[in-house]
Amino acid sequence: MKRIKFKQPKLYWAIIAVFFIIIWVVGFPKKHKRLIRKSVAGMLKDGDNSSMICKNTMIIGENDIKVINKHSTEITSREGIKEVKVYDDMILIYLSGFTAHIVPTRYLTKENKEDLLDKLDIFRNMTMIQ
């Protein structure tokens, strides 16, 4: 049995490798978006998501925050809140690196927003982002 040697120079294989890397880099964003869309569509198709997308009521106490909706009640203690970030259009209350309570501020009056921020000021690591 004879061995066949490829006698192409190293530059030939380097050019081919660079060509495949360029194709992958150019096509990756499109493939990634398609994968994310497919994943989200699958999650939405799996079942009833009304507990995630519904009207919530937030009650801020001295030691905890209660979030109440028609399906559940969630109580978060002061120690469970990692960070509070304030943007122009929303307030994010982070419970971990991945979960947060999102408070849209577009329907709040200036006085209501200031009152909410005063109540949230008792929680640690408050960050203002403009």
Side-chain angles (χ1 to χ4, degrees):
M1 188 180 280
K2 256 185 164 180
R3 288 191 175 190
I4 301 173
K5 282 190 169 183
F6 293 105
K7 295 187 179 189
Q8 290 88 2
K10 291 179 183 179
L11 181 62
Y12 173 80
W13 293 110
I15 291 171
I16 289 177
V18 167
F19 177 72
F20 278 106
I21 289 171
I22 289 172
I23 288 175
W24 185 82
V25 167
V26 168
F28 178 75
K30 193 174 186 179
K31 289 180 184 182
H32 183 67
K33 284 180 184 178
R34 194 176 326 140
L35 178 68
I36 296 296
R37 280 192 189 125
K38 186 177 178 182
S39 174
V40 169
M43 283 189 275
L44 291 174
K45 195 187 318 181
D46 280 344
D48 182 25
N49 294 316
S50 61
S51 64
M52 290 185 349
I53 306 171
C54 64
K55 184 177 179 181
N56 294 314
T57 302
M58 181 179 284
I59 301 170
I60 301 173
E62 286 189 30
N63 296 321
D64 60 1
I65 293 178
K66 294 179 186 175
V67 178
I68 303 166
N69 64 34
K70 65 181 181 178
H71 301 289
S72 65
T73 300
E74 180 181 348
I75 300 172
T76 304
S77 69
R78 174 183 272 193
E79 293 80 26
I81 296 173
K82 303 299 179 207
E83 188 173 12
V84 176
K85 289 190 177 184
V86 180
Y87 295 91
D88 290 336
D89 57 344
M90 73 179 114
I91 299 170
L92 298 175
I93 303 168
Y94 283 98
L95 307 178
S96 72
F98 298 106
T99 59
H101 293 300
I102 303 169
V103 181
T105 58
R106 67 180 144 229
Y107 301 116
L108 297 176
T109 63
K110 187 172 182 170
E111 295 81 25
N112 287 344
K113 185 176 179 181
E114 288 174 3
D115 185 41
L116 176 63
L117 292 175
D118 286 342
K119 288 183 180 182
L120 288 174
D121 195 33
I122 63 173
F123 297 101
R124 58 192 159 114
N125 297 331
M126 187 156 172
T127 307
M128 297 287 288
I129 298 178
Q130 298 292 330

